[in-house]
Amino acid sequence: MRFMSIVTAKDFMHPTPELAEAIHKIADREIKAGRMIDTAGLMPLATGARVTIKDGKLSVVDGPFVEAKEVVGGYAIFELQSKEEAVALAVEFMQLHKDFMPGWEGTCEVRAYFEPNAEGVCDPLAEARA
């Protein structure tokens, strides 16, 4: 199963050198094991843009975004056997933040990729067929 881990925080912060090194070690281990497909940290909101459709109109707004309550700081994509395995990796990753960036607060959300016919997944076309 393919999973994405998405890290969010209140503010963008550069990782400490110790955290960057620890993250590199986990990434290297997971890439060598063939489990990590991709990973990246993301630049601050000020460097981004949002493309939105509201009331039938498309708009583009450059960052930073005043209304942003949390910032997506990075992501990782894994090929794993189970949700439990994905959560264990997220716990290990977040522990590094706790150990090497005291005071940092954030979340790592673990989401499985949508797969048609997957157990426990809503059928997005069910209403259209009803």
Side-chain angles (χ1 to χ4, degrees):
M1 297 177 69
R2 192 166 283 188
F3 290 88
M4 177 179 275
S5 296
I6 306 159
V7 179
T8 58
K10 282 186 165 186
D11 298 305
F12 175 83
M13 292 178 65
H14 285 282
T16 63
E18 297 83 8
L19 177 59
E21 182 180 334
I23 290 171
H24 177 74
K25 285 180 184 177
I26 287 179
D28 190 50
R29 179 192 75 203
E30 295 303 314
I31 289 167
K32 286 179 180 174
R35 297 168 8 132
M36 181 178 277
I37 296 167
D38 189 25
T39 187
L42 302 175
M43 294 294 289
L45 289 177
T47 66
R50 282 190 179 157
V51 180
T52 304
I53 298 174
K54 185 174 181 180
D55 297 326
K57 295 185 180 188
L58 193 134
S59 65
V60 178
V61 176
D62 286 329
F65 313 111
V66 177
E67 70 278 5
K69 292 187 173 116
E70 55 185 26
V71 177
V72 176
Y75 70 92
I77 300 171
F78 295 94
E79 186 70 42
L80 303 168
Q81 296 299 312
S82 66
K83 176 183 172 185
E84 292 75 21
E85 197 174 0
V87 170
L89 279 169
V91 168
E92 180 181 10
F93 180 78
M94 293 300 277
Q95 183 66 47
L96 295 177
H97 286 73
K98 184 178 175 193
D99 293 346
F100 296 112
M101 281 187 73
W104 181 86
E105 293 184 1
T107 301
C108 184
E109 182 178 332
V110 174
R111 305 269 305 270
Y113 274 47
F114 175 78
E115 296 176 5
N117 305 318
E119 287 186 39
V121 176
C122 297
D123 180 353
L125 303 176
E127 288 184 31
R129 288 193 290 263

